[in-house]
């Protein structure tokens, strides 16, 4: 009987080790482990054995059967899982179900970047109206009536006293009239210039104005702040220069140029912002002690900076809002 | 203003200083250099050539075929000039030559079938005069192959500078040289006067009378007699053409030369045309008219200042002379005017007449009242030299109220307070002496200066500090950033709108920015717009009262380029006129709005779904996501309008806060879309952000997560089809206890099997209790109560 047990075990192994699928495996199971299978038969025979012989065979038989059962289970689950994988083949190359993302206008994104840098330097953000009084837009900012400085900014007038603001500086005036120093503010917004629309100029653009008024604000400090901004915005090795300029509301006044070189083209200086120390007359107009307090102010055009940064050659593209343009940013 | 480097060198020694350094330092001193033109480079590829042969062009009557020889090389050239001929020496622009003042580069071309390898130039094409009748023919001794710039000794560098409105003093070669002198620490050299005058006193020849001393504080006149009017010598013509002026005759050229030399505008009158040999400075009479040098008749105001003789007006002061007294070929005797006019008076006249001249720009910014005599003498000397004239003795100088030099003090300590670093007092003094400011006193760390009359911009201590910074060099000022934390609470006006933009963009919308100026008709269609007095064009005459026209134009433009599936938004200001005249901020209302719109397909055909067009429910979904994101207030209520005759929308929903409409959205009327050429549906939503922002956002407080299971029950009703979903929900809610947490519509359908004008609405009702697990009995009771209420209220039938 021992031989037969051994043979059954050996045959079972041979059969399941040959190439086999789930169907065949089931046949093998029935043949050996089924209700009328070989092992069952052997057990029936075992029951007939005299009592004293049982221990001799019982252990061997049990061991052989449970080994067969174990091998069968292992093989079955292996075959099942590989079969499952084959059935669920998916085409991973198909496009995913689309989720359309929108975007903020590139001018907003540029402005956000500028705002972020100055927020980090402790600046508040203030806004003001676009339809302004001549008083806030010019007079309070030291543009006397009938002065050539007014020609610097071609203005859309609504009447003698109201106009579309030509710069964000009237927000400065509003802020300084209502707040005591220290004042540290950034003032973004749309401004208007009465110029013919071309690739270089549009009737409106976005400006960001900065203002810092306190007891120990200096021109060197202005330079420091703006250099920090330039490095943050354009990169550590940005090449820049400050040169004297004129604005009625600042003195001394400066313009800041950045050296710009496109691949394969000659480099050139491009003006990107105007700045200066708040003119004592402006402080006086808003009733801030101009002996004790000193301020600096700066302003830049968002379009100009975005054109530079993203290589946009025609300002009108920003306002055409062609989806093919909007999608790019 | 254009500066000639050769001319500048007359007033400052620039030895050892390169052109690049001059350019750099002009800019850093505040005279920004716009463009530098090196004549040698400008005339690259322009050479002297010899016309070896000329025949008629076979296919064009007016053209010639020439063979031009340059350095033994032969060039076939097609030429259209009538005067071209064999044997001439000419200037040939070879391939690659850039024609000055025109954006045009010579390239190999075929003209009526004949190859041309360049162009034979006229004087105008060379940019040396206006002559364009024919080509320029040279002296036959000039060697072929010589560069044009060498043949004509064009070795100048032209520097174009931008002059800011405060720097009238720099509007001349001497003025600009003065800044360079201060920067380089070199001496400014002024031209020496050396006049030979006759014995005849100028006062016996002519007289000057100022009627308006306010607008004309000083008038200097000098007389030169027996002048021969002729062409100016080469050196003078060269100076003028270098800076883009056209030479006219020796007298006019001298006045222009002196203007660009010292910055003082001069006028030369034909003395024999001045009635009574007299000059009177007065204001124009009522309705007075005057014909200026450009042959135009100008209507004058009583505030316009005129230069007159005993009988008539002869010039508009500081702006332009008249035809009646201009210097002509037959002029013999000349009166030179060198005056100082009040800047704002000239500005007013020039602006009103729309006439800006070299003289008016200088006068309106402020000339030097003290240079008038020097300028008159300088001009008299040159006119006498170049026209063999005789200068009458002395000058007429009417200067009733002498303008005193201003005195301005500067505290050394204030320099540090403003600039942020120490500059040695000695350096400060050096800067001012370089600028010709005379120190009148020094005490208590305070320097007091007498300000030269050419510096109108220096009035206050801060102006002196600017001079120090400017000449010291902005680049030499350290960049210090001591900016610390700000203790004050920071304000951010833009954070709400930033959030609005974030929300819309993450919902898949693209932000657009459109022109806020619209034409009147369009703007008026969408509100009561404010108009602009001086628009660029009628297309941009009114300020937008709504964002909708800009957005619809954008949709229309995109559809034209086949981008017709769009989700767009704009955040911007809109302005509505409240009163007919605007005297005050209360006469109009400026508010911030958000407008978003969807149009075209919600999704196209894809492997996973079928295409579908946007509809009202997409809009509604975006509206509720948007409102949930930017405000959590329960104060925003909804109102539905199924028809809307006056408005923009065919049907719409409104958002109300305390009965005030703050937002409205729906399907844009197709009649409006038609005006924009849009034939597909557009659903839009417009919000007044100024109002929405005002609602205080309630701080969300945490609610405990559910510990007990939710119970869901479904039911479906057959109802009349005109019963709104919302009214059914309201009945269910009002007939349930707080155990009912949510009512969801999960199916809706209409079919004949339900009956005529009937529909089926299927709901899922969710119940739960925060404190315990609900029993089946409790839920059943609630559920059936709700069902009964709907059945009774709407005569509805419960579907099996």
């Amino acid at each position: 009987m021992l031989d037969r047990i051994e043979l059954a075990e050996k045959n079972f192994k041979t059969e399941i080790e040959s190439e086999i699928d789930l169907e065949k495996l089931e046949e093998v199971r029935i043949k050996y482990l089924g209700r009328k299978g070989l092992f069952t038969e052997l057990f029936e025979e075992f029951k007939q054995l005299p009592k004293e012989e049982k221990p001799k065979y019982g252990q061997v038989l049990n061991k052989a059967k449970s080994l067969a059962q174990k091998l069968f289970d292992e093989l079955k689950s292996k075959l099942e899982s590989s079969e499952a994988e084959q059935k669920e083949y998916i085409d991973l190359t198909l496009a995913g179900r689309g989720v359309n993302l929108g975007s903020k206008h590139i001018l907003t994104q540029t402005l956000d970047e500028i705002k972020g840098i100055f927020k980090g330097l402790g600046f508040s953000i203030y806004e003001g109206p676009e339809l302004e009084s001549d008083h806030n837009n010019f007079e309070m900012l030291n543009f006397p009536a009938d002065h050539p400085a007014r020609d610097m900014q071609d203005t859309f007038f609504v009447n003698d006293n109201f106009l579309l603001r030509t710069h964000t500086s009237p927000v400065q005036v509003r802020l300084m009239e209502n707040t005591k120093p220290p004042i540290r503010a950034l003032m973004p917004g749309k401004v208007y210039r009465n110029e013919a629309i071309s690739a270089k100029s549009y009737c409106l653009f976005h400006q960001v104005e900065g203002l810092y008024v306190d007891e120990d604000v200096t021109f060197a400090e202005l330079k420091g702040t703006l250099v920090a901004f330039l490095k943050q915005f354009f990169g550590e090795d940005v090449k820049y220069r400050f040169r004297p300029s004129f604005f009625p509301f600042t003195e001394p006044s400066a313009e800041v140029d950045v050296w710009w070189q496109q691949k394969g083209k000659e480099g050139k200086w491009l003006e990107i912002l105007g700045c200066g120390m708040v003119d004592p007359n402006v402080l006086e107009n808003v009733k801030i002690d101009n002996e004790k307090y000193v301020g600096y102010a700066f302003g830049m055009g968002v379009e100009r900076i975005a054109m530079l940064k993203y290589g946009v050659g025609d300002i009108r593209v920003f306002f055409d809002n062609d989806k093919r343009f909007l999608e790019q940013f | 203003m254009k500066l000639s480097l050769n001319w500048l060198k007359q007033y400052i020694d620039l030895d050892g200083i390169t052109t690049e350094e001059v350019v750099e330092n002009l800019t850093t001193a505040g005279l920004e250099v716009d463009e530098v033109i090196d004549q040698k480079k400008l005339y690259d590829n322009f050479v002297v050539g010899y016309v070896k042969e000329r025949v008629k062009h076979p296919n064009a009557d007016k053209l010639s075929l020439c063979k031009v020889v340059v350095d033994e090389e032969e060039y076939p050239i097609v030429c259209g000039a009538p005067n071209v001929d064999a044997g001439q020496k000419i200037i040939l622009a070879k391939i690659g030559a850039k024609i000055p003042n025109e954006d045009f580069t010579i390239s190999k071309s075929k003209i009526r079938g004949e190859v041309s390898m360049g162009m034979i130039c006229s004087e105008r094409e060379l940019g040396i005069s206006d002559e364009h009748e024919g080509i320029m023919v040279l002296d036959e001794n000039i060697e072929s192959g010589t560069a044009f710039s060498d043949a004509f000794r064009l070795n100048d560098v032209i520097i174009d500078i931008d002059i800011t409105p405060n720097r009238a003093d720099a509007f001349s070669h001497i003025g600009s040289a003065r800044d360079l002198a201060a920067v380089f620490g070199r001496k400014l050299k002024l031209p020496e006067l050396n006049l030979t005058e006759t014995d005849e006193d100028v006062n016996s020849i002519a007289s000057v009378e100022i009627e308006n001393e306010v607008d004309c504080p000083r008038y200097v006149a000098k007389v030169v007699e027996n002048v021969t009017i002729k062409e100016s010598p080469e050196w003078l013509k060269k100076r003028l053409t270098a800076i883009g002026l056209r030479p006219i005759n020796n007298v006019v050229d001298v006045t222009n030369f002196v203007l660009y030399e010292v910055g003082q505008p001069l006028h030369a009158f034909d003395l024999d045309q001045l009635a009574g040999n007299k000059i009177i400075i007065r204001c124009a009479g009522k309705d007075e008219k005057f014909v200026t040098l450009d042959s135009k008749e100008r209507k004058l105001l009583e505030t316009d200042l005129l230069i007159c003789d005993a009988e008539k007006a002869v010039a508009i002061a500081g702006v332009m002379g008249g035809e009646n007294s201009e210097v002509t070929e037959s002029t013999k005797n000349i009166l030179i005017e060198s005056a100082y006019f009040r800047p704002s008076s000239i500005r007013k006249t020039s602006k009103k007449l729309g006439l800006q001249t070299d003289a008016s720009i200088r006068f309106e910014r402020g000339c030097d009242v003290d240079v008038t005599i020097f300028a008159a003498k300088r001009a008299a000397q040159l006119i006498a030299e170049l026209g063999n004239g005789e200068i009458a003795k002395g000058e007429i100088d009417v200067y009733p109220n002498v303008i005193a030099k201003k005195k301005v003090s500067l505290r050394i300590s204030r320099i540090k307070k403003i600039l942020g670093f120490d500059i040695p007092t000695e350096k400060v003094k050096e800067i001012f002496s370089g600028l010709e400011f005379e120190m009148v006193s020094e005490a208590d760390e305070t320097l007091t200066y007498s300000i030269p009359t050419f510096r109108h911009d220096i009035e206050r201590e801060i102006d002196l500090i600017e001079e120090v910074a400017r000449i010291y060099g902005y680049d030499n000022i350290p960049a210090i950033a001591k900016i610390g934390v700000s203790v004050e609470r920071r304000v951010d006006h833009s954070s709400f709108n930033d959030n609005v933009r974030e929300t819309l963009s993450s919902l898949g919308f693209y932000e657009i920015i459109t022109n806020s100026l619209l034409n009147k008709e369009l703007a008026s269609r969408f509100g009561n717009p404010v108009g602009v007095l001086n628009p660029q064009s009628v297309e941009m005459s009114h300020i937008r009262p709504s964002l909708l026209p800009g957005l619809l134009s954008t949709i229309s433009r995109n559809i034209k380029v086949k981008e017709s599936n769009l989700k767009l938004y704009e955040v911007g200001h809109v302005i509505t006129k409240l009163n007919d005249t605007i005297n005050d901020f209360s006469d109009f209302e400026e508010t911030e709005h958000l407008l978003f719109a969807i149009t075209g397909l919600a999704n196209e055909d894809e492997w996973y779904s079928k295409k579908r067009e946007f509809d009202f429910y997409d809009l509604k979904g975006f509206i509720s996501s948007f409102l949930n994101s930017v405000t959590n207030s329960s104060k925003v209520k909804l109102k539905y309008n199924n028809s809307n005759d006056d408005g923009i929308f065919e049907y719409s929903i409104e958002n109300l806060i305390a009965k005030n409409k703050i937002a409205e959205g729906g399907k844009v009327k197709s009649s409006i879309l038609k005006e924009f050429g849009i034939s597909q549906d557009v659903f839009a939503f417009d919000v007044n952000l100024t109002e929405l922002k005002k609602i205080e956002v309630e701080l969300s407080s945490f609610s405990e997560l559910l510990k007990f299971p939710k119970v869901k029950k479904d039911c479906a009703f057959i109802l009349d089809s005109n019963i709104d979903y919302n009214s059914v929900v309201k009945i269910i809610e009002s007939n349930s206890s707080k155990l009912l947490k949510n009512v969801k519509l999960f199916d809706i359908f209409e079919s004949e099997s339900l009956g005529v004008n009937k529909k089926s609405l299927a709901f899922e009702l969710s119940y739960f209790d925060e404190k315990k697990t609900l029993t089946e009995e409790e839920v059943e009771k609630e559920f059936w109560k709700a069902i009964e209420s709907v059945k009774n209220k709407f005569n509805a039938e419960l579907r099996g």
Side-chain angles (χ1 to χ4, degrees), chain A residues 130 157 192 223 251 279, chain B residues 460 466 477 516 533 590:
Chain A
E130 291 170 14
F157 288 98
Y192 296 79
K223 234 183 122 170
E251 175 130 23
D279 194 288
Chain B
R460 304 164 298 164
E466 180 178 51
I477 294 176
S516 355
L533 276 184
E590 180 167 345

Side-chain angles (χ1 to χ4, degrees), chain B residues 5-17:
Chain B
L5 188 62
N6 288 346
W7 194 348
L8 266 183
K9 285 179 183 164
Q10 271 188 261
Y11 316 111
I12 178 171
D13 177 7
L14 291 173
D15 278 356
I17 297 170

